[in-house]
Amino acid sequence: MSNPEAGGRLLPLISTPHSGGRSALTCQFRCGNACAHDVANTTGNAYFGDVVKEALSRRGVLRAGALGALVAGVG
């Protein structure tokens, strides 16, 4: 085992306490420590998923699909 004060690395099982409700190993193996990285979108632009949610609702998509099926059935 290496000494962290001397510039060595800690073993993954003996790491420093992790902030949040999960253990450090859970975060590392489930999400790759995504919360420890910088935010991906640092611009003022909205995320693509948020734009799609605003433009399309589930009810609107079902209505458009039903209308398309009706037009295809009549035609």
Side-chain angles (χ1 to χ4, degrees), residues 12-65:
L13 297 175
I14 310 173
S15 62
T16 58
H18 185 70
S19 62
R22 293 181 174 175
S23 72
L25 287 176
T26 302
C27 271
Q28 180 181 355
F29 292 120
R30 291 193 106 197
C31 66
N33 285 332
C35 55
H37 300 299
D38 292 334
V39 178
N41 188 6
T42 58
T43 65
N45 300 334
Y47 288 101
F48 180 73
D50 296 337
V51 173
V52 170
K53 282 182 188 177
E54 287 180 16
L56 300 173
S57 66
R58 182 179 300 170
R59 187 174 290 165
V61 170
L62 289 173
R63 190 177 298 140

